Amino acid sequence: MSARVVLAVARRVLTQLRRDRRTVAMLLVLPCAIMTLLWWMFTGLPGRGFAALAPALLALIPFIVMFLVTSVTTLRERTSGTLERLLAMPMGKGDFLLGYALAFGVVATVQSALAVGVSTWFLDLDVNGPSWLLLVVAVLDALLGSALGLFVSAFARTEFQAVQFMPALVIPQILLCGLFVERDRLPRFLGVVSDCLPLSYAVDAMRSVSAQRHPDVLGDLALITAFAAAALVLGALTLRRRSA
Amino acid sequence: MTTGGFEVTGLTVVRGGTEVLRDLSCTVSAGEVTGLLGPSGCGKSTLMRAVVGVQQITRGSVRVLGEPAGSASLRHRIGYVTQTPSVYDDLTVVENLEFFASVLGVPRSRVGDCLTTVDLSSHRDAVVGRLSGGERSRVSLAVALLGEPELLVLDEPTVGLDPVLRQDLWGTFHALAAAGAAVLVSSHVMDEAMRCDRLLLMRDGRLIADDPPTALLARTGTADIESAFLALVREDR
């Protein structure tokens, strides 16, 4: 593992991203726009519609976006031959993965800071717990999305296929994460499935932070981190120096 | 046992149920430019991949610079250029080179030197995706030169290049070989063969000749490599 190589990878990924202005704009503006849309939908209605849904959405967006961005970028790296070239150089797989995680971690932090900022300052989202914890959950979520995206990119031959993995892996998690039916009121089997999915814990954590003054989210955060680490290890296994 | 160049013994590679390389043996030594020639699909790229250590091999052994191909210690010492340029299209020429230079841990000054070698100094700030095919493959070649490799493996590096530049690049390959490197260059264009010190002719995953070009012409009694190739194929049947 070499800090020089990790930083070089992270810088390179960010430079590539910077050159793609449209993607940067989408990454930063879209989450804020979606939060605003959600707020607007509930403006004339009684009850806590926005406040109830916003924390879950703040958990979902970075996860989905980073999943897509990573699966397409790493697939490109696999198909363009640059990954093979890098692995034939003195580069550890860990250097490659950490470099990507660092770059996307930076992007996710900026993205989530904007979305959380817009929601709390302009859209009057009440956060009882510390706002920075929302950010921590969001960034972990984004890293989880990145790790899963990296893993699935090994099973896609084209960018078209990579994008198809999004509904397959992400939509069931959205359905079962407690957004539509509270997790403890799901049919028993689905409840167990929900307990095995990482997004459930991300949504739980976001909700605790917004609802409680002193939220205890360490368990949730540890689980999300464990899922992300497991996906990264699986992703590392798919980076082969030798191929058929 | 030589320590420069590489040695392939009884190499067989099976891919998708077909034998791409069949019991192939050859030696490439340091200080020479070796041409790997044959029609497209004959297994040149697979042989090169096996030497670089990115190809899963079925049988046989490949030893590179005195070590088994693919050893971690070889990663500093080999430069490899794939047929399609393996560089980042959305970075500029100089950003690409600087990135690979930091991965290799070589000084930044190498970036300028390698750009001069491939005659791209005037395009250093151009985004690679906007360059022509020939320019892109030169960026890829420049990356392979960064680490001053002891073995340079080049898969069709001169396709689509301007004849003047092509001549210059062959000059570069010979200069690198004269400095002690082993250089393996593949091509499906037979007219490049005369520029090599030695030729490996391949067909259907096997080696049909391993000679200096002039010796090959003399042995087959032909005037050019294309005819020599045909004569060898007839003989082979």
Side-chain angles (χ1 to χ4, degrees):
Chain A
M1 203 79 85
S2 141
R4 184 194 73 232
V5 179
V6 172
L7 287 175
V9 173
R11 245 189 65 197
R12 191 260 300 168
V13 173
L14 289 175
T15 313
Q16 284 179 292
L17 203 59
R18 211 182 54 214
R19 194 137 292 137
D20 187 354
R21 298 251 167 88
R22 203 170 299 175
T23 299
V24 174
M26 299 267 273
L27 282 174
L28 301 183
V29 176
L30 205 67
C32 301
I34 290 177
M35 295 311 292
T36 311
L37 177 65
L38 184 74
W39 165 83
W40 198 4
M41 283 163 58
F42 288 99
T43 39
L45 296 175
R48 309 181 55 253
F50 176 66
L53 290 172
L57 216 59
L58 282 174
L60 286 177
I61 295 173
F63 176 80
I64 296 175
V65 171
M66 286 303 153
F67 177 88
L68 281 175
V69 170
T70 317
S71 56
V72 172
T73 342
T74 43
L75 182 72
R76 257 191 224 163
E77 189 111 45
R78 286 176 206 273
T79 50
S80 70
T82 45
L83 179 66
E84 186 170 287
R85 169 166 243 167
L86 286 174
L87 290 177
M89 285 184 174
M91 157 169 294
K93 295 174 188 176
D95 298 337
F96 179 83
L97 292 173
L98 275 185
Y100 262 97
L102 190 62
F104 287 147
V106 169
V107 176
T109 308
V110 177
Q111 182 190 52
S112 305
L114 281 173
V116 169
V118 165
S119 307
T120 49
W121 287 324
F122 297 110
L123 308 176
D124 296 323
L125 175 67
D126 285 326
V127 183
N128 289 315
S131 306
W132 61 267
L133 252 183
L134 283 184
L135 204 57
V136 172
V137 181
V139 170
L140 274 181
D141 253 8
L143 288 178
L144 175 71
S146 283
L148 277 175
L150 177 92
F151 175 62
V152 303
S153 76
F155 303 98
R157 279 220 190 96
T158 61
E159 291 176 17
F160 193 50
Q161 288 179 4
V163 171
Q164 304 290 325
F165 277 111
M166 204 280 279
L169 273 166
V170 177
I171 292 184
Q173 296 204 61
I174 297 179
L175 292 178
L176 297 175
C177 73
L179 195 61
F180 296 96
V181 177
E182 290 301 325
R183 295 207 310 120
D184 49 16
R185 298 178 64 187
L186 284 168
R188 179 186 290 195
F189 177 71
L190 292 183
V192 173
V193 174
S194 171
D195 286 342
C196 301
L197 298 173
L199 209 56
S200 309
Y201 299 98
V203 171
D204 283 355
M206 281 293 192
R207 287 182 158 180
S208 314
V209 176
S210 16
Q212 299 156 22
R213 183 161 296 276
H214 299 290
D216 177 20
V217 290
L218 266 184
D220 290 331
L221 294 186
L223 273 167
I224 302 170
T225 313
F227 273 110
L232 269 183
V233 170
L234 288 176
L237 293 178
T238 68
L239 300 176
R240 292 272 167 83
R241 285 190 201 272
R242 273 176 196 270
S243 54
Chain B
M1 177 77 235
T2 50
T3 48
F6 63 84
E7 194 178 294
V8 174
T9 324
L11 178 64
T12 297
V13 171
V14 178
R15 230 156 92 182
T18 50
E19 283 194 330
V20 187
L21 294 180
R22 295 189 276 168
D23 195 24
L24 189 146
S25 300
C26 65
T27 311
V28 163
S29 12
E32 280 185 339
V33 177
T34 306
L36 180 60
L37 270 82
S40 94
C42 71
K44 298 187 297 286
S45 297
T46 307
L47 175 58
M48 293 188 135
R49 286 168 45 83
V51 169
V52 175
V54 295
Q55 175 67 52
Q56 278 171 7
I57 64 178
T58 313
R59 269 190 307 281
S61 92
V62 184
R63 290 189 70 83
V64 179
L65 304 170
E67 298 188 49
S71 304
S73 59
L74 289 174
R75 290 183 202 136
H76 284 278
R77 306 166 68 192
I78 302 181
Y80 171 43
V81 181
T82 49
Q83 226 167 75
T84 44
S86 315
V87 284
Y88 298 98
D89 277 351
D90 40 8
L91 293 183
T92 64
V93 173
V94 77
E95 283 166 351
N96 263 292
L97 267 82
E98 283 181 348
F99 167 62
F100 287 109
S102 12
V103 172
L104 288 166
V106 299
R108 285 286 159 94
S109 57
R110 287 293 300 152
V111 170
D113 297 348
C114 294
L115 282 179
T116 312
T117 306
V118 300
D119 193 24
L120 275 179
S121 304
S122 54
H123 289 69
R124 50 185 293 132
D125 293 316
V127 174
V128 171
R130 299 211 188 95
L131 297 177
S132 73
E135 286 162 344
R136 281 227 282 275
S137 48
R138 273 143 69 197
V139 180
S140 196
L141 175 61
V143 172
L145 298 176
L146 280 171
E148 300 179 89
E150 294 163 63
L151 169 65
L152 199 54
V153 178
L154 310 169
D155 203 350
E156 313 231 353
T158 56
V159 176
L161 294 189
D162 163 69
V164 178
L165 182 68
R166 191 135 55 121
Q167 173 123 2
D168 289 351
L169 283 181
W170 278 98
T172 305
F173 301 157
H174 282 286
L176 290 165
V183 182
L184 180 69
V185 186
S186 80
S187 176
H188 65 273
V189 205
M190 301 283 175
D191 67 349
E192 291 204 306
M194 293 310 285
R195 301 182 195 261
C196 302
D197 299 317
R198 241 182 79 217
L199 287 181
L200 302 173
L201 254 54
M202 270 184 85
R203 188 169 187 267
D204 280 342
R206 287 181 311 124
L207 218 54
I208 55 172
D210 176 357
D211 294 286
T214 43
L216 189 65
L217 295 183
R219 179 155 74 85
T220 51
T222 50
D224 58 80
I225 300 295
E226 182 101 41
S227 320
F229 187 84
L230 286 171
L232 287 168
V233 169
R234 268 195 300 271
E235 197 179 293
D236 194 40
R237 282 177 188 157

